[in-house]
Amino acid sequence: MKVHLLYPDRALDPDGPVAAHAADLVADLELGSLLDAMAGGDAFLRETARRVLVAPVTDPAGIHYRQAILADARERRAVVRDLYGIAVDAVLGEARVWGAFLDAYAESVLARATTVLELFIGLLRRLRSLGDQHAATFASDGMRRLFAEIDRDLDDAYLRSIEVHLEHLRFRDGMVLSVGLGAGNRGDGYVLRRPADGGKGWRQRVPLLDRDGYTYRIPEQSETAARNFAALKSQGIAQAAAALAQATDQILGYFKALRFELGFYVGCLNLEERLTAKRQSVCVPVAQASGSGHLSVTGLRDLALVLAVPPGGAVANDLDAAGRPLVVITGANRGGKSTLLRSLGQAQLMLQAGMFVGAEAFEAEVRGGVYTHFKREEDAGLESGKLDEELRRMSRIVDALPPDALLLLNESFASTNEREGAEIARQIVRPLLDAGVRVTYVTHMFALADGLARSEPDRGLFLRAERTGDGGRTYRVVPGEPLPTSYGGDIYRRVFGRPLGD
Amino acid sequence: MPSAPADYHPPVTFRSLLFDDPDADLAVDRLAEPGCFGDIRLDQVVTAITAGREESKLAPFFRAPLRTRAAVTYRQDVFRDLGRPSILAALRAFAAGMRAMRADQHRARWAGHRLEEQRWMLAARLRYCAAVSGLSRDLATAQPAPASLALGRLAAYLDAEVTGGSFSALAADTARVAAGLATVTYRLEITGTRIRVGRWASPPPAGDGGAPEPDYGAEVRAAFERFRQGGAREFSFEIPTDDAMNPLEAELAERVARLYPDAFGALATYCAAHLDYLDETIVRLDRELAFCLAWLEHADRLAAAGLVMSLPEVTDSPTEASGRDLFDLALASARVREGATVVTNDLDVRPGERIVVISGPNQGGKTTFARTVGQVHYLASLGVPVPGRDVRVGLVDEIFTHFEREEDLRTLTSKLEDELLRIRMILETATPNSLVILNESFGSTSLEDALAIGRDVLGTVATHGPLCVFVTFLDELAAVGPGVVSMTSTVDPVDPAVRTFRVVRRPADGLAYADALARKHHLTEADIRARLGGRPA
C-alpha cells in the first residue's frame, strides 16, 4: 500500500534532505507567514508545507495530479480532515508504546511489535470503514487510488489471520529451533520451526528415557545464565521478530506518509480559510510546459503582505512576460519592486506545488527550480567581504541551477561600485539566459539596467516602479525603460524635508 | 608454455619482495629514523600509513633508503606490477587471507572452550591454505603476467610450494575435517528453562516420520508480505554474544559433540597433527606486501581527492629535479581527512641550476613546498610512488635539513651560533649527491648580516654541488647568480587573507578587484558557460 498523494508514482520523503537553497527561498520570498497560515498552529503541518513548497513539481501533468486532489479536498473538507486524524492517531499512538523499536533482544522487539500491530490493526479497520463510506464521492486519481488500495488490501479475513499469528508468536507452547555449527563451533543458522505435531509430543517425553538427545536445564537465579538463554532464544526468533518489526515499520511508514502527504492538503485548506477571512480570492493557475515561454498574471498580490495587512491593503500587479525570459525591474526605492519580485516567486512555487495562487489569473511555464539571490541587509563588515559573500552565494546557485530554472535577483552586486557591479552582473546574466534560465532582476543600478536594455531588446521585459505626476508612489510596477537616476532622492526629501544634495 | 631458451638458468629462489639482495634487509629492523624525518614530516607520513597495521611492523622499511638504481628498479617494478588490477587483486586477496588467519589464531588462543579452540585452529589453517593456493593460482593466471623479477620468482616459489607434499597434505586434511563439521545440524526444543538437544534431519521426535518441521519464521514473514514494499527497511538483530563461547553454548556444544562423534573426533585428531604449519618465506612475504599495500591504499585515499601519486624516474644525476602537481604528503593526508583541498605545485630545476631559492609572502606555502621537495627525493629512494606526476629526480645519498624553530627559547646569539654550526656541518658532510634544505635561516640576526651570510652559504653550495632548497624571507637572495632558481609563494591578489599555498616561478599579476573576485568564484561569463555546459536539462 502506498500513499502517493503528492506524486502519481512516488512518495516525498518526509525526512529527506531539503534543497540547500530552501532556507534562502523561505527568507527571501517571505514564505514564513504563508507557512504559518498553512500550519494553523501545528508545527508538523508547517514543516510539511515547507518541504512541499521548496520541492517544486517540474512537469505540468504532476501539477494537474495535485490540483485534482486539492479540488477534492476543498469539496470534502471534513472527510479529508478525518483521514488525517486517523494518521495522526497512529503515529502518535505508536510513539506512546513503551520500548525501543530496535532492541538487542529479539524477544522484546517481538513483544513490542505485537502491541503496536494490535493498535494499528484497529486504525486500519477505521481507515477501511471511512473508505467504505466516502470513496465514491472523490474524483481525483490520487484519492480514488488511495481508497481502492485500502479496500483491496485490508479485508477482514486478512486482518484476522494476522491476529492469529500475533497470538502464536507468544510461544505459550515453547519453541523448536534447528541450528547449524558456525565459527568456533558455536550455533549458527538458527531457524524457528513449527512443530509438526503442534508442539505437544515432546512435552510428554520422560527425559531419562530419551535416547536420541540430551537435556539441559538453565540454572536458576543466575543472571549470566538468564542472559545467555535470552540471547539463544533471540537467535531463534530473530527472523519472526524482524518480519514483525518490518511490518510495524511499514505500516507506521504508511501512516506517516499519509499524515505527511495529506497534511499538505490540510495545510492548503487552512491557508484558503485564512485568505478568505482577508477577502483575498485565489485562482487555480495554469501550468505550461517548460520552454513554452509562458508567464502572464493579473491581479497578483504578495501573500505575505496580504496576510499581514487589513483586507484590501496589498497592491495587485499585472505582468505579461510571455516569450521574454529576462524581466528587469527598476525604479523608485520602496516603490513595490521587491514586493512584485517576491509575489512572482511565491506564485511560481505555489503553482509548482499544485496549490492555488494569490491572483486573479496566473499562467506560467514550469521551471526546473526557483532560486533567489537577494541582497542581504544584515551583512555587516567590509565592502570587499560583502561582495565576496555575494559572489560565493551566486557560485553555489550556479552549481545547483538546472538550465530551466527561475532565478530571482534582488539588488544583487550592489555592494561594489556601479560600474563593477554592472559588469559582474552582465557577465552572469547573459550566459544564464543563453542556457535557458529565466531571470528576474530588481536593480537600482542604471548602468546594469540600461546595459541590459541595450543588449537584450528582444529577450528582456523592462518594468519600472510607477510614479504619479507629483512624485508619489503607487507601488505598482508598469512597463518602462530604465531611467538614469534612482528615486532615493524622493525618500531623502521625505525623510529630511529637503532635496538631496542641497 | 614457451620452451626454455638454451641459456636457461633455474630461477633464483624467491626470498624478498622489497630487496633485490635477499640479505639486504637483515639490518632493517635495527635502523634508526633518519634525521630529516621530523623536519620534512615523514614521521607523520609513516604514522598515517602504518596506522591500523601495527602487527606488520612496517615502520622499519621507511628507514631503509635504497642505495642503487638497481635496487630502486627492483622495487618500482613490484609497484608497476601492483598497478595491474589482476595482480593487485591477487595480492590483496592473499593479504586479506593472511590477516584473517591471524585473527582466527588469536581467537583460538582466547577461546572459552576446547571445542571452540579446535574449530578456530581449523579455521586459521583453512585461511592459510586458501591464501597460499589462491595466490599461486592467481599469479599463474594473471593477465598480464607479472613482469617484475620479484613476482616472477614468487610465482615459481609458490608453484613449487603448493604442489609440495606437506602443503597439499595439510590442505587436503583441513578440507576433509571442515566438510565433516559442515554437515552437522542439531535441534533444540525449549520449554520453560529446559532445553533438549537432539539430532536434526532424523524424523521429528513425535516419531511419525512425516515432513520436516516447516520454517515458521518464513511463514510469519510471508504472512506480513503485504506490508513489505519495495524499499522496505530490512531488520536484523545484532544478537549480543560474548567474544568467546559462553557456558550455555559450551553445555550445548558438548551435547552436540556426543551426538556427532565422527565429525568431532576427526577435528581433535587433526588439531594434534598440524600444530606447526607456517612457511617462513610466506610470512616474510606477507609483511613486505603489507608495506606495498599500505602505501597504495594511502595513495588511493589521496587519489579520491584528486591527488596523484606516481613512480618517479630516478636518475644518477643528483641535481636533476622536476615534477608536476607535487604536494606535501603529510599535509595532504591531514587535509584530505578533514575534507579540505590541497594545493599542488610544480618543480622545474633546469640543467645548470642547483639552488632553489623560495621567497615571498609568509604563510604562502614556502615551507610546505620545501618539505615536498625533500619528501619526493626521499620517497624516490624508497622505490615507492611519490606525491606528484612526471617526477624525475636524482638518487640522493642523504637529505640534510635545517629548519628554524620558532619555539626555540635560546638567546638570539646562541641560536645564530648553533645555526651556523649546523649549516657548517651540513656543508662539510654533504656530498654532491646530497639534498640540502635550509628553511628560514638567519632570522635571528640583522637583515644585512642575514643577507651576507645567505650569499656566502649559497656561494659555497653553488661551487660545492649538492642540490639545495633555500627558504628565505630575503628576496635579494633569489638573484644571487647563475644556478639559482627563484620561486615565490603567492597570496590571493584580491584578498590577502586568503592563502593560496601556490609557489611559482613567476610573479603574481595584478588583477582588477572585481574581475579577480569573479574569477575566484568562477563567475566570469566564460566560467558560467563552462559550468552550465553539458548539464542535463
Side-chain angles (χ1 to χ4, degrees), chain B residues 26-332:
Chain B
L26 292 180
V28 157
D29 286 329
R30 293 193 299 276
L31 289 175
E33 197 171 83
C36 66
F37 261 39
D39 281 341
I40 60 176
R41 299 269 163 88
L42 279 177
D43 52 349
Q44 295 180 10
V45 172
V46 172
T47 305
I49 291 179
T50 59
R53 295 177 184 265
E54 286 74 11
E55 62 180 0
S56 299
K57 299 189 187 64
L58 300 182
F61 294 123
F62 289 87
R63 300 174 189 152
L66 303 171
R67 298 299 176 197
T68 66
R69 280 176 61 196
V72 169
T73 303
Y74 183 84
R75 201 179 285 180
Q76 283 193 342
D77 284 347
V78 171
F79 275 100
R80 277 189 197 98
D81 270 347
L82 289 173
R84 300 177 171 116
S86 60
I87 297 176
L88 179 63
L91 286 161
R92 277 199 172 138
F94 168 76
M98 292 293 280
R99 202 159 44 238
M101 173 208 74
R102 284 191 299 273
D104 287 354
Q105 276 180 330
H106 180 82
R107 291 195 187 94
R109 207 169 303 131
W110 294 98
H113 190 270
R114 171 184 43 85
L115 290 173
E116 187 189 8
E117 179 192 8
Q118 288 174 351
R119 188 64 189 264
W120 282 123
M121 287 171 70
L122 176 72
R125 284 148 185 77
L126 266 175
R127 303 271 199 197
Y128 176 73
C129 292
V132 171
S133 57
L135 181 60
S136 177
R137 181 197 60 228
D138 291 350
L139 283 185
T141 58
Q143 284 300 332
S148 65
L149 212 49
L151 290 181
R153 288 174 184 169
L154 173 62
Y157 177 82
L158 287 173
D159 193 37
E161 173 78 0
V162 168
T163 51
S166 66
F167 182 86
S168 55
L170 172 72
D173 222 10
T174 307
R176 182 180 51 80
V177 174
L181 290 165
T183 61
V184 172
T185 303
Y186 55 98
R187 185 174 184 280
L188 298 179
E189 297 170 356
I190 303 170
T191 182
T193 58
R194 203 178 59 186
I195 306 176
R196 179 183 177 276
V197 188
R199 288 174 74 105
W200 176 256
S202 54
D208 63 359
E213 297 153 316
D215 180 341
Y216 188 54
E219 288 184 357
V220 169
R221 194 177 165 82
F224 285 95
E225 192 63 31
R226 201 174 287 189
F227 295 115
R228 205 167 145 261
Q229 309 284 329
R233 241 191 328 158
E234 291 298 330
F235 288 84
S236 58
F237 293 92
E238 282 282 336
I239 307 292
T241 54
D242 306 295
D243 287 339
M245 190 179 264
N246 68 43
L248 169 60
E249 290 173 309
E251 293 285 353
L252 299 181
E254 288 193 0
R255 285 164 173 79
V256 174
R258 264 183 272 158
L259 288 164
Y260 293 88
D262 293 350
F264 283 85
L267 176 62
T269 311
Y270 168 88
C271 287
H274 297 287
L275 281 176
D276 195 16
Y277 65 103
L278 292 173
D279 178 274
E280 201 178 303
T281 302
I282 298 289
V283 172
R284 174 173 171 179
L285 165 69
D286 182 39
R287 182 187 172 200
E288 294 185 339
L289 177 62
F291 172 77
C292 301
L293 294 179
W295 194 263
L296 291 176
E297 224 171 74
H298 198 69
D300 282 350
R301 273 196 291 275
L302 296 172
L307 294 167
V308 176
M309 294 184 53
S310 63
L311 285 173
E313 184 184 340
V314 176
T315 72
D316 279 328
S317 164
T319 56
E320 239 176 294
S322 62
R324 292 193 295 129
D325 291 328
L326 309 178
F327 55 92
D328 175 347
L329 195 52
L331 182 69

Side-chain angles (χ1 to χ4, degrees), chain A residues 19-307:
Chain A
H21 66 290
D24 282 349
L25 280 179
V26 172
D28 293 339
L29 301 180
E30 292 185 7
L31 298 179
S33 48
L34 197 70
L35 297 178
D36 287 341
M38 292 179 76
D42 180 341
F44 178 85
L45 283 181
R46 191 183 197 280
E47 173 64 6
T48 301
R50 184 182 76 93
R51 284 177 170 273
V52 175
L53 214 50
V54 300
V57 178
T58 55
D59 64 301
I63 293 169
H64 297 150
Y65 183 77
R66 288 193 195 175
Q67 286 177 338
I69 295 171
L70 181 55
D72 266 348
R74 290 167 78 182
E75 286 295 314
R76 307 298 317 268
R77 284 166 195 267
V79 178
V80 166
R81 287 185 188 273
D82 275 356
L83 262 177
Y84 179 71
I86 292 173
V88 171
D89 286 351
V91 175
L92 300 186
E94 190 272 347
R96 275 195 294 268
V97 176
W98 186 85
F101 195 77
L102 259 188
D103 192 283
Y105 290 110
E107 261 191 311
S108 47
V109 170
L110 197 58
R112 182 179 191 275
T114 305
T115 309
V116 173
L117 281 172
E118 277 162 3
L119 167 78
F120 281 172
I121 284 172
L123 289 165
L124 290 172
R125 287 202 162 104
R126 265 176 65 192
L127 209 55
R128 168 79 204 263
S129 96
L130 203 67
D132 289 347
Q133 279 175 271
H134 301 289
T137 64
F138 283 78
S140 64
D141 291 347
M143 292 303 292
R144 291 187 74 85
R145 195 182 52 192
L146 181 84
F147 284 125
E149 284 198 354
I150 290 170
D151 184 53
R152 187 193 66 203
D153 286 347
L154 299 180
D155 55 288
D156 286 339
Y158 178 66
L159 293 177
R160 263 199 308 280
S161 75
I162 290 297
E163 283 167 334
V164 169
H165 279 298
L166 295 179
E167 177 59 27
H168 279 168
L169 286 168
R170 292 184 197 283
F171 300 112
R172 294 205 170 86
D173 295 329
M175 65 174 80
V176 174
L177 310 175
S178 68
V179 191
L181 277 183
N185 276 336
R186 300 168 76 182
D188 191 28
Y190 291 81
V191 177
L192 179 65
R193 297 289 172 178
R194 184 158 54 77
D197 60 357
K200 301 267 191 295
W202 62 273
R203 275 190 292 163
Q204 290 139 19
R205 185 184 294 111
V206 181
L208 287 174
L209 298 178
D210 183 2
R211 296 208 183 97
D212 315 321
Y214 303 95
T215 298
Y216 176 70
R217 192 178 282 280
I218 305 295
E220 306 279 341
Q221 289 161 346
S222 160
E223 204 175 299
T224 310
R227 193 174 59 240
N228 291 338
F229 189 38
L232 178 75
K233 286 190 284 185
S234 285
Q235 304 259 27
I237 60 174
Q239 197 193 9
L244 252 65
Q246 195 177 48
T248 310
D249 188 48
Q250 284 284 301
I251 301 172
L252 179 62
Y254 179 81
F255 281 125
K256 277 184 171 169
L258 187 63
R259 183 191 186 199
F260 179 72
E261 301 202 356
L262 205 57
F264 167 69
Y265 297 98
V266 170
C268 292
L269 298 181
N270 289 346
L271 174 63
E272 189 188 2
E273 285 156 20
R274 282 287 308 281
L275 291 175
T276 304
K278 291 280 186 183
R279 297 206 302 273
Q280 169 69 42
S281 60
V282 296
C283 74
V284 175
V286 180
Q288 297 288 3
S290 172
S292 65
H294 282 89
L295 177 61
S296 60
V297 60
T298 52
L300 176 66
R301 286 190 175 86
D302 174 5
L303 289 184
L305 199 58
V306 168
L307 289 163

Side-chain angles (χ1 to χ4, degrees), chain B residues 344-391:
Chain B
T344 63
N345 282 298
D346 298 347
L347 175 68
D348 188 13
V349 180
R350 294 166 191 168
E353 298 169 336
R354 59 174 23 129
I355 299 173
V356 181
V357 173
I358 306 173
S359 58
N362 279 334
Q363 305 294 336
K366 287 181 298 188
T367 300
T368 297
F369 185 66
R371 282 196 183 108
T372 303
V373 175
Q375 288 173 7
V376 166
H377 277 85
Y378 187 86
L379 297 175
S381 74
L382 284 185
V384 300
V386 302
R389 292 188 289 157
D390 304 335
V391 176

